[in-house]
Amino acid sequence: MLDNGVVGILAETSNKWERRAPLTPSHCSRLLLAGRQKSGVARILVQPSTKRIFNDAQYEEAGCEITSDLSECGLILGIKKPKLEMILPDRAYAFFSHTHKAQPENMALLDKILAQRVSLFDYELVEGNQGKRRLIAFGKFAGRAAIIDLLKGLGQRYLNLGYSTPFLTLGAAYMYPSLAAAKAAIISVGEEIATEGLPSGICPLVFVFTGSGHASIAAQELFKLLPHTFVDPSRLPELFEKAGDSSQSTCSSSTKRVFQVYGCVVTSENMVEPKDSSRAFDKNDYYEHPEQYNPIFHEKIAPYASAIINCIYWEKQFPRLLSTQQLRDLAQKGCPLVGISDLTCDMEGSIEILNQTTTIDSPFFRYDPKNDSYHHDMEGDGIICSVVDNLPTEFPKEASQHFGGLLSQFIGSLASVADIAKLPGNLRRACIAHGGALTSLYEYIPTMRNSG
């Protein structure tokens, strides 16, 4: 069954916003036209869906079969996790399972996978043979949607704080029919900033981007459509000193306008330092011995940040980017931080206050560091936080086209190989479970699960 060349595409059921598809009709057509000998695919069965960005007729025209019954499929593809009752025994499944960190909310899913003797492949774990770069990802679209939604949120938040800004005219990412349309809207906001400026009371407006992966780079690309200057992390204090001197030399600082925003990209060397002050920072050493490093982001970067776009991979053995206490201390000192967009969705992870996800139609909660309290409005004190775990679906068509193009190259192996030992290394390493047991790379999960 695992190697029969019959591929199934699930109807997404995780939430109402999930409109993406792992393969578009065009991808399916190419796989089917190539024939099983070349593509490894003999048939593609697609569960019907009235909300998927590509309609059933398009898949049918591409040569797919529309049916709710995927029992003939050896390989079943999805985006998000399926309902537990939909998981068929002795099949191969590929989707974002979010189980390899023993995430508590997904352990019932893993138990079901093991009980049904499913071969589980997680897209997130398909990495290059050299380094850790992911080969199948939506990261660029997560970054793009994140920065658009954050800019929109900042417009609303600053209005509640008494400042009108051009960001108010932006819509949420999903409101634009294409990425090009969203970019045009940001360019329009940028033109208004360049001609009419921003209130000096919220400036310098500094956007801090963490990490150097696809998501961070994509967020920066859209940010660059605004009039901007990138500042080295070491020069943030100087930026604020100059802004202070400028406001003091102006007769009426309340009328002064600022005609650009600032970006700052930070990586691990800006987040931690060796406990041994005689040693220089070494990235490889940090990854191997994180316990020998102290966090410095809260001292060196966060005091100058207006908004943080957090894109770093984090595990428990590493120092946090920002702990709750650090954030509360910063608030007492008058830190300008207004908004956080966290793309990692690690609950109480690198940013400890983030203990809940948000949704596309309600993307922010407000954290009040003075009272250590959470609110679902933008009107009181504190920081607005966005933790949406399916950002790429705000651009469902283009995200699916991108993702399916990456996934297509692996479909032949997944659909036609029953023995996982014969799979290419990057797919073999992405297999969490097989034949009712965890594979060797993931035998640590029960220990993590019990220690949590």
Side-chain angles (χ1 to χ4, degrees):
M1 177 62 77
L2 288 176
D3 58 352
N4 68 356
V6 183
V7 178
I9 296 178
L10 290 163
E12 297 295 325
T13 57
S14 59
N15 65 69
K16 70 179 182 182
W17 287 101
E18 192 49 78
R19 298 184 292 156
R20 290 173 290 176
L23 296 173
T24 71
S26 294
H27 298 132
C28 293
S29 178
R30 285 196 288 270
L31 289 168
L32 291 168
L33 287 173
R36 185 177 182 186
Q37 282 194 328
K38 187 173 181 180
S39 71
V41 176
R43 298 162 62 199
I44 300 178
L45 280 55
V46 179
Q47 286 189 327
S49 173
T50 53
K51 70 173 183 178
R52 190 187 288 124
I53 193 63
F54 303 100
N55 61 56
D56 295 345
Q58 290 173 296
Y59 281 101
E60 203 163 44
E61 290 169 7
C64 302
E65 303 164 46
I66 309 302
T67 176
S68 296
D69 182 7
L70 300 184
S71 60
E72 294 184 71
C73 302
L75 170 65
I76 299 174
L77 308 173
I79 299 295
K80 295 291 190 176
K81 62 183 180 183
K83 292 180 179 179
L84 297 187
E85 62 269 21
M86 294 171 62
I87 297 175
L88 300 173
D90 301 306
R91 306 301 199 281
Y93 278 80
F95 54 87
F96 290 103
S97 73
H98 301 294
T99 56
H100 71 283
K101 294 185 189 178
Q103 292 95 318
E105 65 274 16
N106 293 322
M107 289 300 94
L109 167 68
L110 186 58
D111 289 340
K112 181 73 171 183
I113 292 289
L114 294 170
Q116 296 287 67
R117 302 174 303 282
V118 162
S119 298
L120 173 61
F121 296 88
D122 194 313
Y123 303 130
E124 188 175 359
L125 303 174
V126 182
E127 298 173 337
N129 294 323
Q130 303 296 324
K132 287 287 187 178
R133 186 68 67 180
R134 287 167 56 186
L135 301 180
I136 309 175
F138 285 107
K140 288 186 176 181
F141 288 92
R144 290 161 180 161
I147 190 67
I148 294 167
D149 291 350
L150 178 61
L151 292 173
K152 171 182 166 58
L154 290 177
Q156 295 173 329
R157 181 60 180 149
Y158 279 128
L159 187 65
N160 277 290
L161 296 175
Y163 297 98
S164 177
T165 68
F167 304 128
L168 266 176
T169 63
L170 276 177
Y174 76 88
M175 296 177 178
Y176 297 102
S178 66
L179 178 60
K183 286 181 176 180
I186 297 174
I187 290 170
S188 179
V189 167
E191 289 171 348
E192 189 172 349
I193 292 173
T195 56
E196 298 185 18
L198 294 163
S200 61
I202 63 171
C203 294
L205 195 59
V206 177
F207 291 76
V208 172
F209 301 87
T210 67
S212 56
H214 290 311
S216 179
I217 292 170
Q220 293 170 48
E221 286 173 357
L222 294 199
F223 170 80
K224 290 175 183 177
L225 299 176
L226 303 172
H228 69 278
T229 297
F230 272 92
V231 180
D232 186 88
S234 65
R235 305 197 69 173
L236 286 172
E238 180 184 341
L239 173 66
F240 273 70
E241 287 172 12
K242 286 182 178 179
D245 293 342
S246 176
S247 63
Q248 288 177 12
S249 64
T250 304
C251 295
S252 178
S253 60
S254 64
T255 62
K256 185 176 181 291
R257 306 290 286 182
V258 178
F259 299 89
Q260 65 174 324
V261 293
Y262 296 88
C264 181
V265 181
V266 300
T267 55
S268 50
E269 65 182 310
N270 312 118
M271 302 173 191
V272 296
E273 65 182 9
K275 291 180 179 180
D276 181 351
S277 58
S278 65
R279 295 174 53 206
F281 174 82
D282 181 277
K283 183 177 179 180
N284 291 330
D285 181 67
Y286 170 54
Y287 286 164
E288 292 178 11
H289 304 286
E291 73 283 355
Q292 296 179 14
Y293 288 75
N294 285 324
I296 58 171
F297 181 86
H298 65 292
E299 298 173 341
K300 305 291 187 180
I301 308 296
Y304 310 101
S306 307
I308 297 172
I309 300 88
N310 185 35
C311 310
I312 59 169
Y313 180 83
W314 183 85
E315 292 184 354
K316 289 181 180 179
Q317 66 266 33
F318 294 95
R320 284 192 166 94
L321 191 70
L322 277 175
S323 70
T324 298
Q325 190 56 54
Q326 289 167 355
L327 201 51
R328 298 189 73 184
D329 292 343
L330 285 166
Q332 284 187 333
K333 297 174 183 176
C335 170
L337 184 61
V338 172
I340 295 172
S341 179
D342 183 88
L343 282 72
T344 71
C345 298
D346 290 325
M347 296 299 94
E348 298 180 348
S350 57
I351 300 180
E352 190 176 13
I353 63 164
L354 304 179
N355 64 0
Q356 57 193 281
T357 57
T358 55
T359 62
I360 288 172
D361 46 352
S362 183
F364 293 95
F365 65 81
R366 177 174 57 86
Y367 173 73
D368 183 352
K370 292 180 181 177
N371 301 311
D372 192 26
S373 58
Y374 294 80
H375 310 270
H376 290 278
D377 60 51
M378 291 203 177
E379 295 179 2
D381 294 333
I383 303 157
I384 60 169
C385 304
S386 177
V387 196
V388 177
D389 64 4
N390 58 343
L391 282 166
T393 199
E394 296 201 60
F395 292 111
K397 182 173 290 186
E398 289 153 304
S400 297
Q401 290 166 340
H402 170 78
F403 185 85
L406 299 174
L407 176 60
S408 292
Q409 62 187 306
F410 298 101
I411 293 298
S413 296
L414 290 172
S416 58
V417 177
D419 183 359
I420 62 170
K422 296 180 179 178
L423 287 171
N426 43 30
L427 290 180
R428 193 169 60 250
R429 291 189 295 271
C431 184
I432 294 175
H434 177 70
L438 294 169
T439 57
S440 59
L441 285 177
Y442 303 97
E443 289 174 346
Y444 64 82
I445 290 178
T447 303
M448 283 186 69
R449 188 174 179 178
N450 294 331
S451 66

